[in-house]
Amino acid sequence: MQQMDAATRAERLERMAGATYDVLIIGGGITGAGIALDAASRGMRTAVIEMQDFAAGTSSRSTKLVHGGLRYLKQLEVKMVAEVGKERAIVYENGPHVTTPEWMLLPLYQGGTFGRFSTSLGLRAYDFLAGVKRAERRSMLSAEEALRREPLLRKEGLLGGGYYVEYRTDDARLTIEVLKEAVRQGADAINYVKAEQLRYDAQGKVCGAQVRDVRSGAAHELRAACVVNAAGPWVDRLREQDGSRSGKMLRLTKGVHLVFDGGRFPLRQAVYFDTPDGRMLFAIPRAGKTYVGTTDTLYEADPAHPLVTEQDQDYVLRAAGAMFPGLELQADDVESSWAGVRPLIYQEGKSPSEISRRDEILTAPSGLITIAGGKLTGYRKMAEHVTDLLAQRLQQGGQGTFGACRTKRMPLSGGDVGGAAKLPERLAEWTEAGVALGLPRAAAARLARRYGSNTPIVYAQLPQQPLPASQAPGELPPDWAAELSYAVRCEMAATPLDFFMRRTGALLFDIAAVHRWKEAVLRVMTGALSYTAREEREHRASLERALEEAAHPAALAEEG
């Protein structure tokens, strides 16, 4: 996996500039990563570039669920529910270390959005459409049963609940694992490289892009027979540059999530609940924390830097307070937070929560292929549809013949465990191996769960000397040191924020650890990646800003 070594980014980009690809993908979120894996696994010479870090946009800022979109049954999006519902199981089997079945409770109240009969019918249709296996099919609960599963629920007017399975994921790590597998299949992937200008041949067909290394400022030209615009919230900007921004366009909506310590918000059971204005929120326990979201509001500011406003925060707090009144949650209880922007296909006259999450492929006269909209859950099918189109075009152009999609049963990087059913056994083995190396059992179990079949590679990054029972003040513990080394050498983490936000998720779910180890991580990365004094200052400042935004989002949003 040395092809994703952050220390050799510049050299890799120079080599990429000397090649000619079948496919250049602009955008390193889950959509671009999925296309890169599908294309590379079919034998296409594939490159993917991302102007920020991989998954830095929408793909690290979702509700972190691989779910079938139950609410879209209300909008009669039957085909979408059927397709993405079935994809949940595929994503789980291919990457069980980053995807986990999560039983979800949908409480039913007098005067609420959902009635008992309609919910039972809807969940039964959901099971059928999504091909849900027998052990995970829905059941209907009485009010007493619902309260046994989640005692924090509002008791007044509670009629019962629907009980069904969704799949919880780490969206950023899912994206990284897809990209790593794409690289293993032969793709070239590089972050912090911006497509500044599309390039065209004599016939006016797009044939590459002028790009710039955001870190060094170096300019290069990348050449490709086909160019895919998978830039998420930025796809219309690229279409505008191409002169093809017409017809269907994007409408951006913002979603925010608030994180609480599990001691303050001791949620036992994931809950999907309606709000007084008819919207839906999730409350999900994760790693000793509880997070609640998401909002759905139109957004027109900078998609690279969405912030949680005081209005956003108050809305989530009020909604959570109405459903879990005994907690009396306040703004001071928010431990961290995040905001994300969703790129949706514009539909005139519809509110943000009603706009469809379906994806669409748009082909410009120049040949630029744009993939817009869609859901995290459906990334693999979106990739298949785009790559089928690429295969057809490349064959017509005489660049070769490529077969059908191969990703349906292809384990992701870290997911080569022999199937989801065998994961617990393998996790136990890797945990024991870590303990044998001197790691505390909890640390070994955490690494095994996060990295799956890549855990032995992470362990290889541990110090060669016997692991000390304690380390000097300011020195990274061995497990964190191994993770950091792996993130830099094998996952192209180029900044401390890459590591804390997208490689480990600590900024969201273990913010105290970020405060504890931020200087040590910066020190190690400065040595490993030869930061200049200016770069070191910039990375420290960006991490401090991110910590402030996570912990005190509304105050900073009002400032900015």
Side-chain angles (χ1 to χ4, degrees), residues 73-91:
L73 273 181
K74 291 175 62 180
Q75 300 171 17
L76 300 179
E77 295 275 4
V78 174
K79 183 178 180 183
M80 186 183 76
V81 172
E83 184 170 277
V84 299
K86 290 171 182 171
E87 282 296 304
R88 298 181 314 168
I90 296 171
V91 176

Side-chain angles (χ1 to χ4, degrees), residues 17 34 54 91 178 188 235 316 318 384 541 555:
F54 301 125
V91 176
V178 174
D188 285 320
V235 296
V316 176
R318 284 196 307 272
E384 181 179 350

Side-chain angles (χ1 to χ4, degrees), residues 60 62-66 168-169 171 286 291 338 508-509:
S60 61
S62 73
T63 306
K64 306 186 186 302
L65 291 173
V66 175
R168 178 166 50 85
T169 191
D171 49 3
R286 171 174 167 163
Y291 68 95
W338 72 90
L508 303 182
F509 298 106

Side-chain angles (χ1 to χ4, degrees), residues 525-546:
M525 295 187 79
T526 296
L529 299 176
S530 303
Y531 293 158
T532 64
R534 177 183 59 81
E535 287 174 327
E536 185 178 2
R537 287 194 302 272
E538 289 176 350
H539 294 324
R540 178 181 283 109
S542 66
L543 183 54
E544 291 293 348
R545 176 76 179 181

Side-chain angles (χ1 to χ4, degrees), residues 473-477 480 484 496 499-500 512-527 531 536-537 539-544 547:
E475 181 183 350
L476 279 175
W480 280 82
L484 179 58
F499 175 69
F500 283 125
V514 183
H515 283 289
R516 188 180 306 123
W517 307 122
K518 61 185 179 181
E519 287 299 326
V521 166
L522 180 60
R523 184 169 60 249
V524 170
M525 295 187 79
T526 296
Y531 293 158
E536 185 178 2
R537 287 194 302 272
H539 294 324
R540 178 181 283 109
S542 66
L543 183 54
E544 291 293 348
L547 281 164

Side-chain angles (χ1 to χ4, degrees), residues 22-161:
D22 293 317
V23 183
L24 169 62
I25 301 160
I26 300 173
I30 189 63
T31 303
I35 297 167
L37 175 56
D38 198 330
S41 65
R42 297 196 208 190
M44 298 177 194
R45 294 165 295 177
T46 304
V48 56
I49 62 173
E50 166 57 49
M51 69 175 181
Q52 304 181 94
D53 183 27
F54 301 125
T58 305
S59 297
S60 61
R61 297 172 176 272
S62 73
T63 306
K64 306 186 186 302
L65 291 173
V66 175
H67 65 103
L70 174 62
R71 70 172 176 171
Y72 305 125
L73 273 181
K74 291 175 62 180
Q75 300 171 17
L76 300 179
E77 295 275 4
V78 174
K79 183 178 180 183
M80 186 183 76
V81 172
E83 184 170 277
V84 299
K86 290 171 182 171
E87 282 296 304
R88 298 181 314 168
I90 296 171
V91 176
Y92 175 48
E93 282 296 325
N94 290 345
H97 64 305
V98 287
T99 310
T100 306
E102 180 90 38
W103 280 95
M104 191 74 61
L105 173 61
L106 175 63
L108 308 175
Y109 286 90
Q110 291 176 354
T113 303
F114 298 92
R116 189 173 183 86
F117 176 75
S118 62
T119 298
S120 178
L121 191 63
L123 288 174
R124 185 182 293 275
Y126 186 63
D127 285 347
F128 173 76
L129 291 169
V132 174
K133 54 190 174 184
R134 184 176 298 276
E136 295 182 356
R137 290 178 187 168
R138 70 97 177 96
S139 62
M140 298 303 295
L141 308 179
S142 68
E144 292 75 17
E145 289 170 327
L147 284 170
R148 272 200 299 271
R149 284 177 169 80
E150 185 43 69
L152 295 176
L153 290 174
R154 185 179 81 246
K155 298 177 179 61
E156 181 184 356
L158 181 63
L159 301 175

Side-chain angles (χ1 to χ4, degrees), residues 51 106 108 165 190 204 267 346 348 408 436 449:
M51 69 175 181
L106 175 63
L108 308 175
V165 168
I190 190 164
L267 192 72
Y346 175 66
E348 190 171 355
K408 187 171 183 178
R449 178 75 236 189

Side-chain angles (χ1 to χ4, degrees), residues 224-235:
C226 299
V227 178
V228 176
N229 174 13
W234 293 269
V235 296

